[in-house]
Amino acid sequence: IAVSEALTKCPEIQFLDLSVNNIGIEGAIAVSEALKQGSKVQHLDLNHNNIGIEGAIAVSEALTKCPEIHYLDLGLNNIGVEGTIAVSEALKESTKLQHLNVTGNSIGDNGATVLSEALIHCNQIQELNLKWNEIGDVGAGALSEALRNCTPLHFLLLQHSPHYSRKTSLKSHSHYLHSPPGDSQLVKPTHAVSGSEMQDTL
């Protein structure tokens, strides 16, 4: 809450990292209220804060007031499908977004499908982290269509999605899709990458 009060006095701030601070729902709402006053924030990191669905909804409302946002990290926050729906709606206006992390939020196929609808509008996206989200064939298919023409994308993480079958395919991009060094092998998708190939390499 103290941080949110400070934010109202710093309208020019562009980089805000509150990751791993356990701010919870109340903190997320407070920070969001401050950002809604008019913000130039470009980098917003709320990773691992247990903001939940209510916090995600509050953040989504703030995002509509942050037109310059290009980095958003909501990983490990238990936002679920409902929170993902709210954030996705806001992201439709975040045309400058380049990095999105929603890892470990149990968004499943429904969340991935809704997020895909938003990503169609985020044609500047370069890095997308969706691992540990139980995304299956339906969600992977929706992502495939949404990212079809996203040429800037070079970093895509889908590890640990046990319901993702070998029959699913993600459309190829002209850039590398890979994971961090030591986490997996590098994939150069010169053709459509099959589900089995993605599981072997991601």
Side-chain angles (χ1 to χ4, degrees):
I1 295 177
V3 171
S4 66
E5 294 175 352
L7 284 175
T8 61
K9 300 176 182 179
C10 303
E12 300 298 315
I13 193 167
Q14 297 180 10
F15 187 102
L16 182 59
D17 186 345
L18 297 175
S19 60
V20 199
N21 271 295
N22 197 31
I23 65 174
I25 296 172
E26 184 178 354
I29 292 175
V31 170
S32 298
E33 285 299 318
L35 293 176
K36 284 165 64 176
Q37 304 305 313
S39 172
K40 293 186 178 180
V41 166
Q42 298 178 14
H43 180 116
L44 179 60
D45 191 342
L46 297 176
N47 188 284
H48 211 317
N49 271 300
N50 198 31
I51 68 173
I53 295 172
E54 292 180 55
I57 291 174
V59 170
S60 71
E61 295 172 354
L63 287 175
T64 62
K65 304 296 183 181
C66 301
E68 300 301 316
I69 193 80
H70 70 253
Y71 181 106
L72 178 63
D73 192 336
L74 295 176
L76 302 173
N77 271 302
N78 300 313
I79 69 174
V81 176
E82 189 175 346
T84 303
I85 290 173
V87 171
S88 296
E89 190 62 31
L91 290 181
K92 291 180 181 179
E93 301 178 25
S94 302
T95 56
K96 296 183 179 181
L97 190 68
Q98 297 177 11
H99 175 107
L100 177 63
N101 180 14
V102 290
T103 187
N105 276 300
S106 300
I107 71 173
D109 278 339
N110 290 337
T113 299
V114 173
L115 184 60
S116 296
E117 295 172 1
L119 290 175
I120 293 174
H121 302 273
C122 302
N123 55 18
Q124 298 302 311
I125 197 80
Q126 298 178 17
E127 301 181 3
L128 181 59
N129 189 343
L130 297 172
K131 63 183 180 180
W132 297 324
N133 270 307
E134 301 177 357
I135 298 172
D137 289 353
V138 174
L143 288 167
S144 171
E145 290 303 314
L147 299 174
R148 181 191 296 270
N149 298 314
C150 189
T151 54
L153 182 68
H154 66 273
F155 194 91
L156 172 64
L157 292 174
L158 279 174
Q159 290 103 318
H160 307 291
S161 290
H163 305 299
Y164 181 43
S165 83
R166 294 177 179 273
K167 295 182 179 180
T168 306
S169 65
L170 288 175
K171 304 301 180 181
S172 63
H173 299 280
S174 58
H175 296 273
Y176 288 96
L177 303 184
H178 63 90
S179 302
D183 198 16
S184 74
Q185 298 177 11
L186 184 67
V187 183
K188 183 179 182 181
T190 55
H191 59 286
V193 182
S194 69
S196 60
E197 288 174 309
M198 291 295 286
Q199 283 194 322
D200 289 342
T201 55
L202 291 184

